[in-house]
């Protein structure tokens, strides 16, 4: 096959960017001579993250619709028209064989323009409740790769392929890395370890909860690795002065931190949920309610309904955290059950399966 060309678009958050990069890496591994171009929103984090991953990116003048009356909302029709026009020019110049969207505002005009010009398109929907962009694109998409059941409510059933979400390949064998992880983080091998994850920017309410409950957690002979996010690091870094507490803005070695963890408290973004399914640790989800369509709660509920996690609503932790945490720490049977059930939901070959769908379109 001669030098296939692919455009990928996904951004706004790491949850859209990293799956796109994972797909691009797999395409490059399958087709070393292929050409890959990314398209993102010109003022979003993909404009830095994608070049860091080694790919060229072009920005569109696009942003999402805000929940309140703003100047950006008034400008949205103009931005959309501009982005559709620029997307058509990009497609005409680059001549892609397949265009792949992983969500985020920029993927909307790009995939809409591509399908209108007869280019096959693939949507990769990470969440259990799709965002507005992918719902808008569904009718004209060639294939829709999903990570949760029952999405026929939103997408044409004949286009849906259940693949799961792309995740970092180094997470697949974390069980073999525990000794390395204990050494890397300087942990006490005789204590249980709680990992707290709030995303790269941090989660205000999760941080407030851990700040309030830290003494309680330590009273149960549990050590803590707390990723508080860069926005909150200065506020909480003083806790690192305590024994058996490590506060970090960002964690580079996610494979090792998962290997070290015995329990996890986490937000429920799609990428985090997919990673936690693969590593199979007992987890308490505290979803953010401040996201489109409250999709984090729906992501968490999809795991909880299969007996794979514990869910605390953001309004509950102050009253519910202590009994829930104590029950988890001292209930070995519950730990084992949660671990086994969440692992059953893992899709370790997701990236490979998504690329297989792309290749089918390439050959058709």
């Amino acid at each position: 096959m001669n030098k296939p060309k692919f455009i990928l678009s996904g951004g706004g958050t790491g949850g859209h960017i990293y799956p796109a990069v994972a797909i691009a890496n797999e395409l490059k591994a399958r087709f070393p001579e292929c050409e890959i171009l990314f398209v993102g929103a010109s003022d979003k984090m993909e404009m830095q993250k994608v070049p860091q991953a080694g790919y060229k990116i072009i920005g569109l003048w696009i942003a999402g619709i805000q929940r309140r009356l703003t100047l950006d909302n008034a400008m949205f029709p103009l931005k959309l028209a501009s982005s559709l026009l620029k997307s058509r020019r990009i497609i005409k110049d680059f001549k892609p064989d397949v265009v792949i969207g992983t969500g985020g505002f920029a993927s909307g005009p790009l995939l809409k323009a591509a399908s209108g010009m007869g280019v096959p398109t693939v949507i990769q929907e990470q969440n259990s409740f799709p965002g507005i962009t992918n719902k808008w694109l569904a009718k004209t998409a060639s294939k829709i790769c999903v990570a949760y059941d029952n999405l026929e409510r939103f997408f044409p059933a004949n286009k849906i392929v259940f693949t799961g979400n792309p995740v970092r390949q180094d997470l697949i064998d974390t069980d073999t890395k525990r000794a390395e992880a204990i050494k890397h983080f300087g942990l006490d091998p005789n204590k249980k370890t709680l990992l707290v994850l709030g995303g790269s920017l941090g989660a205000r309410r999760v941080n407030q909860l851990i700040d309030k409950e830290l003494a309680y957690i330590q009273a149960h002979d549990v050590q803590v690795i707390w990723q508080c996010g860069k926005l909150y690091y200065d506020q909480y870094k003083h806790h690192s002065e305590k024994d058996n507490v490590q506060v970090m803005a960002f964690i580079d070695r996610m494979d090792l931190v998962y290997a070290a963890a015995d329990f996890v408290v986490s937000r429920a973004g799609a990428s985090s949920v997919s990673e936690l399914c693969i590593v199979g640790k007992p987890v308490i989800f505290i979803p953010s309610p401040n996201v489109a369509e409250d999709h984090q709660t729906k992501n968490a509920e999809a795991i909880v309904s299969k007996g794979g996690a514990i869910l605390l609503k953001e309004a509950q932790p102050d009253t519910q955290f202590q009994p829930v945490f104590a029950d988890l720490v001292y209930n070995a049977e519950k730990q084992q059950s949660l671990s086994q059930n969440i692992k059953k939901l893992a899709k370790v070959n997701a990236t490979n399966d998504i690329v297989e769908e792309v290749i089918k379109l390439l050959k058709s």
Side-chain angles (χ1 to χ4, degrees):
M1 188 179 292
N2 292 330
K3 211 172 178 180
K5 294 183 174 185
F6 306 102
I7 298 181
L8 292 103
S9 182
T13 67
H16 294 310
I17 298 165
Y18 298 125
V21 170
I23 293 166
N25 291 343
E26 181 66 19
L27 286 168
K28 201 74 177 169
R30 302 282 196 97
F31 305 101
E33 300 301 313
C34 75
E35 290 184 45
I36 292 175
L37 175 67
F38 276 73
V39 174
S42 57
D43 61 344
K44 296 295 183 181
M45 64 188 286
E46 57 264 31
M47 302 308 291
Q48 286 77 46
K49 298 295 183 185
V50 168
Q52 286 170 10
Y55 297 102
K56 181 183 175 185
I57 186 167
I58 297 174
L60 301 178
W61 185 47
I62 189 70
I65 299 173
Q66 307 299 310
R67 295 184 182 187
R68 58 194 183 281
L69 190 61
T70 65
L71 180 59
D72 273 346
N73 277 357
M75 296 287 283
F76 180 77
L78 181 60
K79 288 185 176 184
L80 180 59
S82 165
S83 295
L84 283 164
L85 205 61
K86 188 170 182 180
S87 293
R88 289 182 65 85
R89 286 201 302 270
I90 291 167
I91 291 159
K92 191 176 177 183
D93 292 343
F94 189 74
K95 298 180 176 62
D97 294 291
V98 184
V99 174
I100 304 138
T102 59
F105 311 125
S107 66
L110 182 80
L111 269 74
K112 184 61 77 172
S115 56
M117 296 169 75
V119 179
T121 61
V122 176
I123 294 172
Q124 197 266 314
E125 173 54 61
Q126 291 112 26
N127 290 297
S128 58
F129 197 97
I132 190 169
T133 301
N134 281 351
K135 283 193 277 189
W136 181 53
L137 294 170
K139 283 186 181 177
T140 54
S142 308
K143 285 287 177 185
I144 304 169
C145 297
V146 303
Y148 290 92
D149 295 325
N150 304 316
L151 288 180
E152 296 84 358
R153 294 173 294 157
F154 309 104
F155 299 141
N158 63 323
K159 295 182 180 183
I160 293 174
V161 185
F162 188 85
T163 58
N165 287 327
V167 297
R168 311 164 223 241
Q169 291 303 295
D170 61 0
L171 299 184
I172 290 169
D173 294 315
T174 56
D175 288 347
T176 64
K177 299 179 181 179
R178 188 166 176 88
E180 182 188 355
I182 296 289
K183 184 178 178 183
H184 180 84
F185 291 104
L187 296 167
D188 182 341
N190 299 312
K191 291 181 183 290
K192 297 287 188 181
T193 301
L194 171 67
L195 170 63
V196 181
L197 298 172
S200 56
L201 296 178
R204 184 175 63 89
R205 286 289 290 119
V206 173
N207 286 334
Q208 288 173 341
L209 174 70
I210 301 303
D211 180 53
K212 175 175 170 281
E213 301 291 357
L214 197 53
Y216 180 81
I217 293 165
Q218 289 189 282
H220 293 275
D221 205 28
V222 173
Q223 57 199 338
V224 180
I225 298 177
W226 175 5
Q227 185 264 315
C228 66
K230 64 181 183 180
L231 296 181
Y232 301 96
Y233 181 67
D234 286 343
Q235 186 177 350
Y236 296 111
K237 64 184 179 183
H238 67 277
H239 286 298
S240 288
E241 296 167 10
K242 298 172 180 172
D243 289 340
N244 302 308
V245 178
Q246 298 180 47
V247 181
M248 302 176 182
F250 185 78
I251 299 171
D252 288 316
R253 290 298 304 269
M254 289 303 296
D255 59 328
L256 293 186
V257 85
Y258 281 132
D262 294 286
F263 322 103
V264 183
V265 170
S266 177
R267 284 302 204 194
S271 294
S272 296
V273 172
S274 296
E275 290 180 359
L276 287 161
C277 287
I278 283 175
V279 299
K281 298 299 172 78
V283 58
I284 300 171
F285 284 122
I286 305 177
S288 169
N290 307 312
V291 291
E293 313 284 4
D294 196 20
H295 66 249
Q296 284 203 10
T297 298
K298 295 177 177 71
N299 291 347
E301 285 172 343
I303 306 299
V304 172
S305 69
K306 305 279 178 64
I310 298 164
L311 171 63
L312 284 183
K313 296 287 182 73
E314 196 170 87
Q316 293 176 324
D318 291 332
T319 55
Q320 297 291 314
F321 179 80
Q322 290 192 8
V324 167
F325 182 75
D327 180 51
L328 181 61
V329 170
Y330 295 113
N331 190 334
E333 193 176 314
K334 186 167 201 168
Q335 293 168 26
Q336 188 176 17
S337 173
L338 289 170
S339 184
Q340 288 174 347
N341 289 338
I342 197 170
K343 256 196 160 166
K344 288 175 189 171
L345 304 175
K347 298 289 286 183
V348 295
N349 297 316
T351 311
N352 175 74
D353 292 347
I354 292 162
V355 167
E356 284 296 327
E357 295 303 318
V358 174
I359 291 170
K360 287 176 190 173
L361 293 174
L362 205 55
K363 293 176 177 175
S364 63

